[in-house]
Amino acid sequence: MAEERSEEFAERAKRLTPREWRVVALSIEGVAAEDECAALGVAEGTLKSHKQAIRRKLGVPRGKRLERHLRENLEALPAGIRPTVAAAGPAPVDASIAERRVRLLLRLTLQELLEVADNADLRAALLQQTVARISSDDADDARREVEDLQLAAREIRDTFSKVRADIRSRSER
């Protein structure tokens, strides 16, 4: 029974986005909401929205705290996300576990970077379709915005490639 629940939880957890995984990691570490917002660079309302989406995707029962549900299902979480000590007391963290956690969060952050580039490309494509239908002075402004979005997407992908190459070169040393 517990194993079935764990498998169901793991299957549901696959639906989480990289940003939601970051929220999960901070939540199970017992980080205060204000500090979570600062770490993620989001407003409190955005953090609440992320947590609601996580609750929905993981099937957290009504009235149950997200953090409690996550802690009850620790074994189904990726190793890099699981806390190594209870959130109540500071204790030394195994260096290999800390490194795995950092690598996982870095991968998630890099995935988010690619998502931003994809979103910029999508917005540019949608705006380009709209521009094709416009026959006014606004069309020139919209065309420039399309070019700006495409440039932003290229630069974000270039940044991703540079960061990934830098990480790989450092890990080879």
Side-chain angles (χ1 to χ4, degrees), residues 46 80 127:
T46 304
L127 187 55

Side-chain angles (χ1 to χ4, degrees), residues 52-128:
Q52 285 175 341
I54 293 166
R55 291 176 61 81
R56 187 177 59 253
K57 290 177 182 180
L58 295 180
V60 179
R62 276 194 188 285
K64 188 173 193 182
R65 291 189 47 87
L66 173 64
E67 294 78 3
R68 181 175 173 205
H69 187 74
L70 292 170
R71 288 190 175 280
E72 288 174 358
N73 293 282
L74 281 179
E75 294 305 314
L77 291 171
I81 294 288
R82 287 183 220 141
T84 55
V85 295
V93 176
D94 183 302
S96 66
I97 292 172
E99 184 178 332
R100 280 194 313 242
R101 186 175 299 148
V102 167
R103 286 178 186 258
L104 176 64
L105 291 174
L106 181 59
R107 274 195 310 271
L108 293 173
T109 302
L110 289 174
Q111 276 182 305
E112 287 175 342
L113 195 58
L114 285 179
E115 287 177 12
V116 170
D118 290 343
N119 286 339
D121 276 336
L122 179 61
R123 288 180 181 159
L126 293 172
L127 187 55
Q128 202 164 25

